[in-house]
Amino acid sequence: MKHIQEPRLLGCSECVNGAGLNFEFTMAFQPIVNTRTREVFAQEALVRGLNNESAGEIFKHVNQDNLYRFDQACRVKAIKLAAELKIDSYISINFMPNAVYRPELCIRATLNAAEEYGFPIDRIIFEITEGEEIEDHAHLRNIVEHYKQRGFLTAIDDFGAGYSGLNLLAEMQTNIIKLDMALIKNIDNDKVRQAIIRAILQVCDELEIRVIAEGVETREELITLQAFGIELFQGFYFARPSFESLADIHWGD
């Protein structure tokens, strides 16, 4: 893995104020729900502009030179907002593996933020975005193991859509995987995708990995996935991301 420079620890106030970035951003939250218990399992923190611009607009400003600072600022902003909103579920934070140079250093800002804002570290999930090409798999495996040891849950986001697929799961077992929405769309009418998802569920059951189906948009998709035994869901069917707030949830009643 290529290192630009050894990163330094950023303070909470520095991260909240943008960590020296030349752009500003905030967060929206989208719920991940358990349809069996009818409870919110987690709230995923999603990057937004100050006027609710999309994550894509923000990422136009992110490059190799500011990747580390941006990653650290995302963590702290998500935790601060979660504490202000009194979120009592897990919060799920996307992290960029290529921005984490030394996990023991990079995690300190997260731990400091959790302590400063009063948010329990055992309610934080770190999501690896599989769509980001991993430069060093051994390094990522070290990150995941370090996070687990510190009491965080870990997840592979967009599972089935990125560069690694099952190979990534073979190298490291996260606590959770999130099935990519491309696998979920029109699942009720797609026998091939149904077979693929059933196979993934069997693997995850044997490895004791929880599965979240993301991108659920219709009742038919939901019913099909529930029949497979999935309990955790995320998608527009339940709620869209809510800007700096918590969304009202549609349970389908």
Side-chain angles (χ1 to χ4, degrees):
M1 182 177 181
K2 297 178 180 178
H3 299 329
I4 295 176
Q5 60 181 19
E6 183 71 9
R8 68 176 180 82
L9 177 65
L10 302 177
C12 290
S13 60
E14 190 176 3
C15 285
V16 167
N17 292 325
L21 301 170
N22 61 358
F23 60 94
E24 296 183 87
F25 66 94
T26 184
M27 296 284 172
F29 289 93
Q30 186 179 29
I32 299 168
V33 301
N34 186 319
T35 57
R36 180 180 61 82
T37 62
R38 295 177 68 90
E39 296 175 329
V40 175
F41 172 73
Q43 297 279 353
E44 182 177 2
L46 300 164
V47 172
R48 293 291 185 269
L50 297 186
N51 296 307
N52 204 17
E53 296 93 342
S54 69
E57 289 300 312
I58 301 304
F59 275 95
K60 290 178 181 177
H61 303 285
V62 180
N63 55 52
Q64 193 62 44
D65 293 332
N66 62 23
L67 187 62
Y68 170 77
R69 285 176 170 270
F70 177 69
D71 180 75
Q72 294 293 286
C74 284
R75 297 166 184 237
V76 174
K77 285 176 180 286
I79 291 168
K80 181 176 185 292
L81 267 174
E84 290 175 352
L85 294 171
K86 295 180 171 57
I87 291 175
D88 57 7
S89 66
Y90 289 100
I91 61 167
S92 193
I93 303 171
N94 291 281
F95 84 93
M96 291 159 278
N98 297 331
V100 181
Y101 304 136
R102 286 175 50 199
E104 68 277 9
L105 174 62
C106 296
I107 206 65
R108 283 189 217 159
T110 306
L111 295 170
N112 291 345
E115 181 178 0
E116 179 167 335
Y117 302 118
F119 195 88
I121 64 170
D122 60 1
R123 293 214 308 263
I124 297 175
I125 303 169
F126 279 117
E127 293 188 22
I128 306 161
T129 302
E130 197 197 341
E132 182 185 7
E133 186 170 11
I134 306 303
E135 297 176 358
D136 186 336
H137 279 224
H139 179 63
L140 177 57
R141 185 167 57 249
N142 183 41
I143 294 169
V144 169
E145 289 305 314
H146 186 81
Y147 285 6
K148 283 183 176 181
Q149 291 169 8
R150 298 307 297 258
F152 300 104
L153 293 183
T154 57
I156 299 175
D157 192 18
D158 301 328
F159 186 84
Y163 294 91
S164 305
L166 290 172
N167 288 333
L168 187 60
L169 190 61
E171 292 191 15
M172 67 200 73
Q173 287 75 58
T174 56
N175 305 101
I176 299 166
I177 68 165
K178 299 178 73 176
L179 297 173
D180 184 69
M181 61 186 304
L183 287 173
I184 301 303
K185 188 172 181 61
N186 297 322
I187 187 67
D188 48 303
N189 293 315
D190 194 319
K191 299 296 184 183
V192 174
R193 286 185 172 85
Q194 288 177 21
I196 292 170
I197 288 178
R198 283 197 297 267
I200 293 172
L201 291 173
Q202 181 178 348
V203 171
C204 289
D205 182 59
E206 293 184 16
L207 296 176
E208 299 182 343
I209 295 172
R210 302 190 75 173
V211 175
I212 298 170
E214 58 181 346
V216 176
E217 295 187 351
T218 69
R219 180 168 179 77
E220 291 73 24
E221 292 169 350
L222 173 63
I223 291 172
T224 301
L225 294 164
Q226 285 176 321
F228 293 163
I230 298 176
E231 298 179 348
L232 300 177
F233 298 91
Q234 183 178 11
F236 289 175
Y237 179 78
F238 299 98
R240 292 177 177 270
S242 186
F243 181 72
E244 294 186 334
S245 61
L246 303 182
D248 293 328
I249 299 171
H250 165 70
W251 291 101
D253 300 334

